[in-house]
Amino acid sequence: MTGPLAGEPRERQRGLPVVRRVGSWLVWWVLMMAFWVMLDDSISTDELLAGAGAAALAALLAELVTYQAATRFRMRIEWLVPALSLPGEVVRDTVTVYRALWRRLVHGEQPPSAFEELPIRFGDDSPEGVTRRVLLIWGTSVAPNTFALGIDKDSDVMVVHRLVAEQEGK
């Protein structure tokens, strides 16, 4: 089990170092500021200052909420390296799905779908292990042809559904 059940109190670290909380706030601020710049689509000084203020408030609230909820998020930078291939996978899967849709509409062909098991190490139940599994499931499910259903702890496999399965012999 990874933590308390819904409604049960979580153990909070009261003596969390200030440097760690400030670092967390700074990460939230950078993310919120980047989100502001993407949405606002302006780099004029007054817009950036308004965005910095809004991002600071959002970062403060996010840090307070994560502290109060006692969420534990641990990530390693090397986990982000596979994310570099995500745009290519999304494009490839989008082409696959639209090709299958075209064949279905024009020729009436039903594309083969399948459940598959991918070998993935489950890991431990530490905050780092939970974060790793969440990123694995999210990263696998981003592309439109594949949806991760979960990771089986006992057999170290991720069960995925492929909307259009690879046909053997192709």
Side-chain angles (χ1 to χ4, degrees):
M1 190 148 70
T2 60
L5 298 174
E8 291 180 351
R10 293 177 182 242
E11 293 181 26
R12 221 173 315 189
Q13 291 180 337
R14 291 283 181 198
L16 200 61
V18 173
V19 173
R20 195 161 161 197
R21 292 193 67 192
V22 169
S24 176
W25 178 88
L26 187 59
V27 168
W28 277 113
W29 184 83
V30 168
L31 289 172
M32 294 297 125
M33 189 63 192
F35 188 57
W36 173 273
V37 170
M38 284 189 310
L39 287 178
D40 190 45
D41 195 26
S42 172
I43 55 170
S44 65
T45 305
D46 58 338
E47 294 285 338
L48 289 177
L49 288 174
L57 182 60
L60 176 68
L61 292 174
E63 171 55 29
L64 285 174
V65 167
T66 55
Y67 178 72
Q68 288 296 316
T71 56
R72 294 168 292 279
F73 180 79
R74 296 272 191 272
M75 193 167 102
R76 293 184 183 175
I77 296 300
E78 62 264 17
W79 292 348
L80 296 177
V81 173
L84 297 174
S85 67
L86 284 178
E89 289 178 28
V90 169
V91 169
R92 186 190 73 234
D93 275 9
T94 302
V95 169
T96 301
V97 169
Y98 276 114
R99 187 180 307 132
L101 178 62
W102 176 257
R103 285 195 310 257
R104 175 73 174 155
L105 291 174
V106 174
H107 303 291
E109 296 176 20
Q110 178 68 29
S113 64
F115 289 97
E116 297 177 12
E117 292 181 346
L118 307 176
I120 298 285
R121 185 178 55 82
F122 185 82
D124 58 8
D125 284 333
S126 68
E128 191 173 86
V130 172
T131 302
R132 186 184 135 278
R133 286 191 299 277
V134 166
L135 290 174
L136 279 170
I137 289 173
W138 177 82
T140 303
S141 298
V142 164
N145 191 36
T146 307
F147 183 77
L149 300 171
I151 301 174
D152 185 24
K153 185 177 188 174
D154 298 327
S155 57
D156 281 343
V157 294
M158 179 188 300
V159 179
V160 299
H161 178 260
R162 299 228 192 254
L163 187 61
V164 181
E166 298 284 329
Q167 292 180 349
E168 293 181 22
K170 250 191 157 180

